[in-house]
Amino acid sequence: MPSFQDQFVASKGQPIEYQGNTLVMVDFFPIEDGAKLRLTFESTDGPWRQGVSVRLRENGSLILNGQESQQFACWRDTAPQVVEFEALGEVTRLEIKNVWDVGNGVMESWHNGAAMIVEETPCGRRYRCNDGYADDDFDDIIFRIERLN
């Protein structure tokens, strides 16, 4: 099975091509100040706990459940299927990546088989993701991020 990590190292973290698909380690989702967004979990089929990390690398805040932060992670086994949040401040993009926990309580990402296929949708993007287990089915977690305004 493929270890996409070697290919991402060779590309210095830039997108790679695999069987006609562009694969990324992380996606930069464009937004504006005051953006209202929705994260929707479609499915999981990985061997481990699956989640999504959303992060701002700029001046601004993410508001989730009334709490303000630069980053949050939602785990499919504990979060609702649909999570709404807001981005405020000098924001232009969100850093989106899939994460997993092999059972030791550590949030992992970006190694071994990890990669995402990002598809444009009318209101945002759909993500089909591999976790760190080296395979190429891209169904360990599938989710969408959509703009509501």
Side-chain angles (χ1 to χ4, degrees), residues 4-131:
F4 299 119
Q5 180 175 333
D6 296 338
Q7 295 172 54
F8 282 124
V9 167
S11 76
K12 297 183 171 121
Q14 295 303 304
I16 60 174
E17 295 297 317
Y18 179 76
Q19 295 185 347
N21 291 301
T22 300
L23 308 182
V24 298
M25 295 176 61
V26 62
D27 183 47
F28 297 100
F29 187 93
I31 58 167
E32 297 177 358
D33 179 26
K36 294 183 185 332
L37 301 129
R38 175 184 298 135
L39 162 65
T40 303
F41 291 104
E42 289 186 18
S43 65
T44 57
D45 192 27
W48 305 306
R49 185 178 192 212
Q50 304 290 323
V52 175
S53 171
V54 178
R55 181 176 181 173
L56 283 176
R57 294 219 176 237
E58 306 164 305
N59 293 327
S61 298
L62 297 172
I63 311 297
L64 174 66
N65 294 330
Q67 297 191 16
E68 189 173 325
S69 179
Q70 289 281 137
Q71 175 179 354
F72 65 85
C74 289
W75 295 97
R76 181 59 199 113
D77 63 339
T78 57
Q81 183 177 359
V82 176
V83 177
E84 293 187 0
F85 61 100
E86 187 173 0
L88 300 173
E90 299 172 23
V91 296
T92 60
R93 64 186 187 166
L94 298 174
E95 179 185 280
I96 308 291
K97 66 180 178 178
N98 66 305
V99 296
W100 63 92
D101 173 356
V102 299
N104 59 6
V106 175
M107 184 170 67
E108 298 188 46
S109 63
W110 288 355
H111 65 83
N112 200 21
M116 302 189 305
I117 297 172
V118 181
E119 303 165 337
E120 294 292 329
T121 66
C123 296
R125 294 180 178 163
R126 183 173 188 247
Y127 300 84
R128 295 187 299 132
C129 308
N130 263 16
D131 58 22

